Amino acid sequence: MTTGVADFEFSVLGRIKGFLYRCKTDDSYTLIGMTSQFEALFGYPVDELIGNRVRTYASLIHPDDVQLVNDAVNQGFASHQNFDVDYRLINSAGRAIWVHETGGGIWNERGNLLYCEGAVTNIDALYRRMQQRTDDLARVALKNLEVIESLRYLKLLALNAGIEAARAGQAGAGFTILAQEMRKLAYQSEEMARAVAAT
């Protein structure tokens, strides 16, 4: 059984956590067309954004990311190349969702910029996993710093123990060996902790 190009495109697009769009190149990114996956992902009906009927696409971009998006888009237009940018869109529940956009301009034969079009993919789950991993690494690094501080204290104790053992003379001979082993263990453990912290 064969399927047409339209069926193929509809089937594949239905599997992607993202949407395709075409918009004007104004400050609002006034949408001319957008695939229906947008509503499923972000909760806004597509027809509310087409032509800025209810809201603009630009108004859904997280305020902290607006300049980042504008800069990426303008640099792409200036170089006549595609742009790639990660930013957050605010869904209908008010939650910020991380997305990745790849887009580019459409020019006419005279070189005039007509439209912008591209694909936006939901990468929120990936970003959250990366953030969790970063947080985990930060906690490990903090624990390593705590271990290093503890080992420094152990070295100080070993040094003091060695001094006291020397004062005790022959009676402290066994304690001297213990102090040496404490220092050796502290130095070795500190080197291992630093190596782990540096990875």
Side-chain angles (χ1 to χ4, degrees):
M1 179 178 178
T2 59
T3 59
V5 173
D7 292 333
F8 165 74
E9 291 177 350
F10 182 81
S11 177
V12 172
L13 285 174
R15 302 175 193 277
I16 297 173
K17 289 186 177 181
F19 59 92
L20 307 180
Y21 71 89
R22 175 174 280 185
C23 69
K24 295 181 180 179
T25 59
D26 55 16
D27 292 340
S28 299
Y29 299 117
T30 301
L31 286 160
I32 299 168
M34 174 189 280
T35 54
S36 60
Q37 292 92 338
F38 179 84
E39 182 173 355
L41 290 170
F42 299 97
Y44 300 104
V46 170
D47 65 349
E48 290 186 0
L49 284 98
I50 300 299
N52 302 331
R53 191 174 70 82
V54 175
R55 58 183 53 85
T56 67
Y57 185 83
S59 70
L60 303 183
I61 300 173
H62 192 286
D64 292 344
D65 299 339
V66 171
Q67 192 61 52
L68 174 71
V69 173
N70 291 341
D71 289 345
V73 172
N74 289 332
Q75 287 172 14
F77 290 164
S79 62
H80 283 230
Q81 294 182 343
N82 288 343
F83 59 85
D84 287 277
V85 60
D86 295 338
Y87 61 96
R88 290 162 291 180
L89 284 175
I90 308 300
N91 69 8
S92 60
R95 180 170 174 264
I97 306 294
W98 279 99
V99 298
H100 175 80
E101 179 176 344
T102 299
I106 302 295
W107 289 264
N108 64 16
E109 64 279 358
R110 295 180 180 177
N112 298 319
L113 181 61
L114 301 177
Y115 311 112
C116 178
E117 63 182 16
V120 178
T121 307
N122 184 332
I123 60 167
D124 199 62
L126 173 61
Y127 180 85
R128 302 294 172 187
R129 287 198 300 272
M130 290 173 60
Q131 187 63 52
Q132 183 62 52
R133 179 60 175 158
T134 300
D135 292 343
D136 290 344
L137 290 173
R139 281 192 290 271
V140 170
L142 181 59
K143 288 181 179 179
N144 277 334
L145 289 175
E146 292 172 353
V147 168
I148 290 172
E149 288 301 317
S150 297
L151 291 171
R152 287 174 179 167
Y153 183 65
L154 178 59
K155 286 192 294 184
L156 181 59
L157 288 177
L159 177 62
N160 290 336
I163 293 172
E164 292 301 321
R167 287 178 180 172
Q170 187 64 32
F175 203 55
T176 300
I177 296 174
L178 177 59
Q180 290 174 348
E181 291 302 315
M182 287 173 62
R183 282 198 299 273
K184 185 187 300 181
L185 175 61
Y187 278 110
Q188 291 174 345
S189 299
E190 184 177 12
E191 289 302 314
M192 290 177 63
R194 288 186 184 280
V196 171
T199 58

